[in-house]
């Protein structure tokens, strides 16, 4: 069966520090991968998605970047965190147009102080 | 671009009653709509998908309807239980999913 791992679960980082969140998927190949952010009291905002190795699409201009070095690995990064980067970050995998739902990871709660 | 709108007010119901949550979309009719459940501090979990040409879909105590005329999907939980308390999200899209902000459901014993 397919599983998705996301870590760490919580993170407190000072303003200006770098960030690296990792997500890996098991049990499937060539998945579409997604990074969403959920701010307090707000909906899920799509940040990046990838349909293959090295292919990244950015939905929102921001202080973040994403990379997909391997088929089942998706990394969210920042060189210098801002207070506004605080939120709940979720990785997900799915299939384009399949009509099947996304499978989400357990999320990372990031607090920038 | 597509907008997904859900009632932001929490829905409070008594155990055993049927909960009905609403999802409205603007612009074009999506090929399908999806419903997810999200518990506090957890990632959303996929529940049901209904296609444009389907009027209704059922899974155990869950039922989803899709009305392209009203541009609306209704999500029903029959015989609701306190364990059904969570936030329910509606989503639509092809290559990527756009989510509504979700509606919190509170089922009291």
């Amino acid at each position: 069966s397919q599983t998705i791992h996301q870590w760490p679960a919580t993170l407190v980082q000072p303003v200006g520090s770098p960030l690296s969140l990792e997500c890996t998927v098991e049990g499937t190949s060539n998945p579409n991968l997604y990074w969403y952010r959920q701010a307090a009291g707000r909906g899920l905002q799509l940040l990046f998605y990838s349909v293959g190795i090295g292919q990244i699409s950015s939905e929102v201009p921001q202080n973040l970047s994403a990379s997909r070095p391997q088929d089942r690995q998706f990394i969210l990064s920042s060189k210098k965190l801002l207070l506004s980067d605080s939120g709940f970050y979720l990785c997900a995998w799915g299939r384009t147009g399949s009509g099947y739902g996304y499978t989400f990871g357990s999320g990372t709660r990031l607090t920038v102080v | 671009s597509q907008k997904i709108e859900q009632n932001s007010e929490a829905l409070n119901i008594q155990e055993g009653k049927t909960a009905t949550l609403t999802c409205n979309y603007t612009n074009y009719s999506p090929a399908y709509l999806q419903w997810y459940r999200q518990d506090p501090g957890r990632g959303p979990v996929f529940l049901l998908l209904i296609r444009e040409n389907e009027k209704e879909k059922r899974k155990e105590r869950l039922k989803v309807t899709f009305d392209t005329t009203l541009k609306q999907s209704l999500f029903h939980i029959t015989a609701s239980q306190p364990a059904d308390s969570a936030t329910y999200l509606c989503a639509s899209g092809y290559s990527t999913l756009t989510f509504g902000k979700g509606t919190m459901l509170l089922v009291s014993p």
Side-chain angles (χ1 to χ4, degrees), chain A residues 34 36 38 43-44 46 49 88 90 96-102 104-106, chain B residues 32 34 36 38 41-44 46 49 51 89 94-97 99-101:
Chain A
Y34 308 88
Y36 282 85
Q38 191 172 36
L44 285 164
L46 179 65
Y49 71 97
F88 190 45
L90 289 156
T96 298
S98 67
Y100 292 99
Y102 287 4
F104 281 86
S106 52
Chain B
Y32 47 78
Q34 304 186 15
Y36 291 76
Q38 186 175 23
R42 310 289 294 272
F46 172 70
L49 175 149
R51 299 179 192 279
L89 307 172
Y94 184 75
S95 55
T96 63
L97 284 182
F99 284 82
K101 292 184 179 180

Side-chain angles (χ1 to χ4, degrees), chain B residues 48-108:
Chain B
L48 273 175
L49 175 149
I50 185 164
R51 299 179 192 279
E52 184 181 17
N53 59 356
E54 297 175 316
K55 289 266 196 288
E56 181 180 297
K57 198 79 167 282
R58 290 176 185 263
K59 180 183 176 182
E60 299 173 353
R61 295 185 294 111
L62 308 180
K63 184 178 86 170
V64 174
T65 62
F66 195 165
D67 189 326
T68 55
T69 302
L70 294 178
K71 294 190 175 182
Q72 182 179 84
S73 174
L74 298 179
F75 177 81
H76 306 272
I77 304 176
T78 57
S80 60
Q81 305 165 0
D84 294 326
S85 298
T87 296
Y88 291 86
L89 307 172
C90 176
S92 177
Y94 184 75
S95 55
T96 63
L97 284 182
T98 298
F99 284 82
K101 292 184 179 180
T103 300
M104 183 182 295
L105 172 66
L106 299 170
V107 182
S108 52

Side-chain angles (χ1 to χ4, degrees), chain A residues 6 53 62 67 77 92 109 113:
Chain A
Q6 188 180 344
I53 296 174
Q62 61 218 328
S67 62
S77 305
R109 174 74 59 192
V113 296

Side-chain angles (χ1 to χ4, degrees), chain B residues 7-54:
Chain B
N7 191 345
S8 58
E9 291 185 15
L11 177 63
N12 288 274
I13 64 168
Q14 264 193 316
E15 183 175 8
K17 302 288 186 187
T18 296
T20 299
L21 285 70
T22 304
C23 173
N24 294 294
Y25 59 89
T26 60
N27 301 332
Y28 59 88
S29 181
Y32 47 78
L33 283 166
Q34 304 186 15
W35 285 89
Y36 291 76
R37 170 184 171 139
Q38 186 175 23
D39 291 287
R42 310 289 294 272
V45 174
F46 172 70
L47 296 175
L48 273 175
L49 175 149
I50 185 164
R51 299 179 192 279
E52 184 181 17
N53 59 356
E54 297 175 316

